[in-house]
Amino acid sequence: MGERERVMEVVEQQQQQPEEQEQEPETSETSSSTSSTTTWKQNLTMQLLSDKLTNGNLNSKIEAAREIRRMVRKSSKTRSKFAAVGVIQPLIFMLSSSNLDARQSSLLALLNLAVRNERNKVQIVTAGAVPPLVELLKMQNNGIRELATAAILTLSSAASNKSIIAASGAAPLLVQILKSGSVQSKVDSVTTLHNLSISIENSIELLDASAVSPLINLLKDCKKYSKFAEKASSLLEILSNSEEGRTAISLAHGGILTIVETVEDGSLVSTEHAVGALLSLCLSNRDKYRELILREGAIPGLLRLTVEGTVKAQDKARTLLDLLRDSPEEKRLDTSVLEKIVYDIAERLDRVDKAGETSK
């Protein structure tokens, strides 16, 4: 999923003024002069807005934040200029205001300053935005909480911000939003948690087992080959590394089935994470999880993965197949059934006359 461009307003179409009938051609000197005047006016406006944020009353600050939001939606260059005149720090101070409009207007301004501008993302975090944003994640106001989630998501895409956000206490609150937030905030939470999970060595510490059920539900409802499915399945693989996570996956309604379906229909990335999660289950306790995985019809997808998956996915699929076959004789799949499955796969990958050789 991309950054939160949906909060960026659509640029209004400017009405073109009708040309005068006897208009003189514009010279390069005139064009340069006009451009310089426009730049001077813009710089003056930016400085005035910065002054309002610092020295104005509450209403002036809110108006300034709204105007900044309007102006920065147009270009990354404008966002950089606003950061240079010192608007970031006073906007962060507004995040802790008791006035709801002040919080919302500053959130939107900061969010638009951060979008598609890596330097601003880093500067916003360095200036201390994360603690007040974490506090906003605790609010009961759904609108503010959703905006705060979007802001943390945007900031978490900058490499140097990841460890700071991961250490801030945001992760447990994002897991709570997974369980009770709006659909958009749930999607943003998954993406943020995924961003943070790749920044720390022991990513299991970011998550707790209560994240499993909402992740399963989200994965169940999305397209298994989507980028979102890749992130959700990645988090589930992380959770499968703890006993609590494995238990939660097995107890979740349709938990193992959803992961098996991802093995069957997911992208190369999704299938690698999904087979990794199933393998973690089976490696931890084959007697407990082997039958549950077999019951959901995992064999065909795993066999196909040994041929079509990434190198890691192929290795994991082969290991898991060995574990699934290592069962009492009466529970073993009949050899003829396995041969038929492999032949069907080979027939799709190769010509019919070579399918027998390929399947061997």
Side-chain angles (χ1 to χ4, degrees):
M1 182 167 74
E3 293 182 334
R4 293 292 301 264
E5 296 176 70
R6 66 180 186 74
V7 300
M8 306 286 289
E9 297 178 2
V10 178
V11 177
E12 297 173 357
Q13 297 294 327
Q14 298 181 351
Q15 297 295 326
Q16 294 183 352
Q17 298 298 326
E19 295 183 358
E20 296 181 11
Q21 298 214 342
E22 296 185 8
Q23 186 176 9
E24 293 185 7
E26 189 180 66
T27 65
S28 60
E29 184 178 344
T30 305
S31 175
S32 176
S33 176
T34 303
S35 176
S36 297
T37 302
T38 302
T39 301
W40 179 82
K41 287 182 178 179
Q42 186 187 61
N43 291 342
L44 179 61
T45 300
M46 289 180 178
Q47 190 59 60
L48 289 172
L49 291 171
S50 179
D51 291 342
K52 274 188 176 182
L53 282 177
T54 304
N55 303 314
N57 59 32
L58 182 60
N59 287 335
S60 295
K61 291 179 179 181
I62 292 172
E63 289 174 7
R66 288 172 177 168
E67 182 62 14
I68 290 169
R69 176 202 178 190
R70 186 191 69 79
M71 291 180 67
V72 301
R73 70 192 181 190
K74 298 179 181 179
S75 73
S76 186
K77 185 177 180 181
T78 306
R79 296 177 196 122
S80 296
K81 286 183 176 181
F82 263 114
V85 297
V87 302
I88 288 177
Q89 193 68 71
L91 285 171
I92 291 173
F93 289 150
M94 288 175 67
L95 293 176
S96 301
S97 172
S98 59
N99 183 284
L100 197 61
D101 286 340
R103 287 181 172 182
Q104 185 173 32
S105 60
S106 60
L107 256 175
L108 288 167
L110 287 167
L111 187 52
N112 281 18
L113 282 166
V115 168
R116 294 181 178 176
N117 193 304
E118 294 302 299
R119 181 175 294 180
N120 281 3
K121 291 174 187 176
V122 173
Q123 189 173 339
I124 288 169
V125 169
T126 302
V130 174
L133 285 173
V134 170
E135 289 303 310
L136 294 182
L137 290 180
K138 301 174 184 178
M139 290 191 65
Q140 296 301 310
N141 183 294
N142 291 332
I144 292 291
R145 192 168 61 168
E146 184 170 330
L147 285 174
T149 306
I152 291 178
L153 163 60
T154 302
L155 297 173
S156 72
S157 66
S160 62
N161 290 344
K162 296 180 191 293
S163 59
I164 297 172
I165 297 172
S168 70
L173 297 170
L174 293 170
V175 171
Q176 288 298 318
I177 291 170
L178 271 183
K179 295 186 282 186
S180 60
S182 65
V183 173
Q184 185 60 58
S185 60
K186 288 178 180 180
V187 170
D188 288 350
S189 294
V190 169
T191 306
T192 306
L193 288 167
H194 177 263
N195 285 348
L196 300 181
S197 71
I198 58 179
S199 71
I200 60 175
E201 186 173 345
N202 192 8
S203 53
I204 189 63
E205 294 178 356
L206 277 175
L207 304 165
D208 64 71
S210 65
V212 167
S213 184
L215 282 172
I216 290 292
N217 290 334
L218 288 166
L219 183 58
K220 190 185 302 182
D221 294 338
C222 76
K223 294 176 180 178
K224 302 299 186 292
Y225 53 82
S226 66
K227 292 292 183 183
F228 178 79
E230 292 176 1
K231 296 175 177 64
S233 57
S234 171
L235 295 177
L236 284 168
E237 183 179 16
I238 291 170
L239 284 160
S240 72
N241 291 321
S242 73
E243 184 56 38
E244 296 79 8
R246 291 189 290 267
T247 300
I249 289 171
S250 65
L251 294 178
H253 180 66
I256 292 178
L257 174 60
T258 300
I259 297 175
V260 168
E261 289 173 345
T262 306
V263 170
E264 294 173 346
D265 302 324
S267 68
L268 289 174
V269 175
S270 297
T271 53
E272 185 177 312
H273 291 309
V275 72
L278 294 176
L279 181 58
S280 290
L281 265 64
C282 215
L283 283 173
S284 69
N285 191 329
R286 286 184 296 172
D287 292 337
K288 179 179 180 181
Y289 293 111
R290 185 173 57 236
E291 185 64 32
L292 295 176
I293 295 171
L294 285 172
R295 190 184 303 162
E296 301 300 352
I299 296 296
L302 292 172
L303 286 168
R304 184 166 61 251
L305 203 56
T306 63
V307 179
E308 299 175 357
T310 64
V311 173
K312 287 184 179 180
Q314 289 180 22
D315 290 342
K316 291 177 181 179
R318 292 189 188 102
T319 303
L320 181 55
L321 283 167
D322 288 340
L323 291 170
L324 294 176
R325 292 166 183 160
D326 184 18
S327 56
E329 195 65 34
E330 66 272 16
K331 291 185 179 180
R332 244 181 228 175
L333 289 176
D334 188 86
T335 302
S336 61
V337 175
L338 287 175
E339 288 178 352
K340 178 64 168 62
I341 293 170
V342 173
Y343 183 86
D344 289 341
I345 294 172
E347 195 173 16
R348 289 199 295 272
L349 295 173
D350 216 334
R351 297 201 310 269
V352 174
D353 59 332
K354 289 189 174 183
E357 182 181 347
T358 302
S359 65
K360 289 179 182 179

